[in-house]
Amino acid sequence: MSVSWYLAVSAILFAIGLFGVFVRRNPLVLLLCLELLLGSANLSLLAFDRYHGQGDGSILAIIVMVVAACEVTVGLGIVVAMHRRGVPIDVDKTTELRG
């Protein structure tokens, strides 16, 4: 398969994730859409890595996966803390998390 197919799938995933970030107000759905954005970036990095035959894209993809794991951990911690305090979980209604 050529690189253009991988990039087309990556662009579609990125567009779906970006649409979800702009439209949805649930923090869990926002985290899922951010994961789609980072996954599409990984796919394009690995496609270019395979095309050029160097290992730079794989190293960057691993770094992006680490950042995605940290983002999910912090995001879910914030959502759980909001739920325990009785703060509305809607992103538009949330102004600050007092602690």
Side-chain angles (χ1 to χ4, degrees), residues 19-86:
F19 178 75
V21 166
F22 286 136
V23 172
R24 297 297 187 159
R25 295 294 115 206
N26 186 352
L28 295 176
V29 176
L30 283 174
L31 289 173
L32 180 68
C33 292
L34 287 174
E35 289 297 320
L36 272 175
L37 291 172
L38 292 172
S40 68
N42 274 343
L43 183 60
S44 63
L45 282 171
L46 293 174
F48 283 124
D49 179 49
R50 183 175 177 179
Y51 179 72
H52 292 294
Q54 297 176 351
D56 298 338
S58 298
I59 294 170
L60 284 174
I62 290 172
I63 291 171
V64 170
M65 282 190 267
V66 169
V67 168
C70 294
E71 174 254 333
V72 166
T73 303
V74 171
L76 286 177
I78 290 172
V79 169
V80 168
M82 289 171 61
H83 182 68
R84 284 186 180 173
R85 291 184 180 261

Side-chain angles (χ1 to χ4, degrees), residues 83-95:
H83 182 68
R84 284 186 180 173
R85 291 184 180 261
V87 177
I89 300 182
D90 189 14
V91 175
D92 291 332
K93 294 178 184 175
T94 304
T95 56

Side-chain angles (χ1 to χ4, degrees), residues 1-15 40-49 51:
M1 293 180 74
S2 69
V3 177
S4 62
W5 289 103
Y6 292 111
L7 294 179
V9 171
S10 176
I12 291 169
L13 284 175
F14 192 85
S40 68
N42 274 343
L43 183 60
S44 63
L45 282 171
L46 293 174
F48 283 124
D49 179 49
Y51 179 72

